[in-house]
Amino acid sequence: MCVAEIEPGQDPQGVEDPRLSALDERLREVKARETLKKGQKGADAERGYSQGNRVISALIGSLVGSALIGWLIDRWFGTGPWGLIVLLFLGIAVAFRQIIRISGERPE
């Protein structure tokens, strides 16, 4: 290889500089420490949030919905607290069934 072929200030192609490799590795380590320091957990931490939100909405939605329907049935038909009690227990059963089904799924 002729000296005239290599521009001043450029490394010859095909030769990997160990200094650049070490610098890349140090930069990756520093970025990882910074994300931990800032409290960012990365993309893996957010995967379970949607599944947790689904569990909470299934629990609250089933209980509130069944209690409201039971109360309305009691009000319309004058059945006392029995419609509310029966539908509240059915809402609990549905909520637990949904939670078991959701917990068996893998996070997205």
Side-chain angles (χ1 to χ4, degrees), residues 16 20-36:
E16 187 170 328
L20 290 177
S21 301
L23 180 62
D24 286 337
E25 182 63 32
R26 287 182 15 213
L27 282 174
R28 278 193 291 269
E29 290 174 5
V30 169
K31 285 180 183 179
R33 280 191 302 232
E34 282 297 314
T35 55
L36 288 175

Side-chain angles (χ1 to χ4, degrees), residues 52-108:
N53 288 335
R54 288 176 57 202
V55 167
I56 288 179
S57 66
L59 181 63
I60 293 173
S62 296
L63 292 177
V64 170
S66 64
L68 180 65
I69 292 171
W71 180 77
L72 287 174
I73 287 173
D74 284 340
R75 187 130 164 118
W76 288 334
F77 297 115
T79 56
W82 295 109
L84 176 66
I85 292 171
V86 169
L87 283 177
L88 194 57
F89 280 118
L90 285 174
I92 290 170
V94 167
F96 284 142
R97 182 181 161 270
Q98 287 179 341
I99 290 170
I100 290 169
R101 184 180 52 86
I102 291 170
S103 66
E105 296 174 1
R106 295 188 66 158
E108 296 153 0

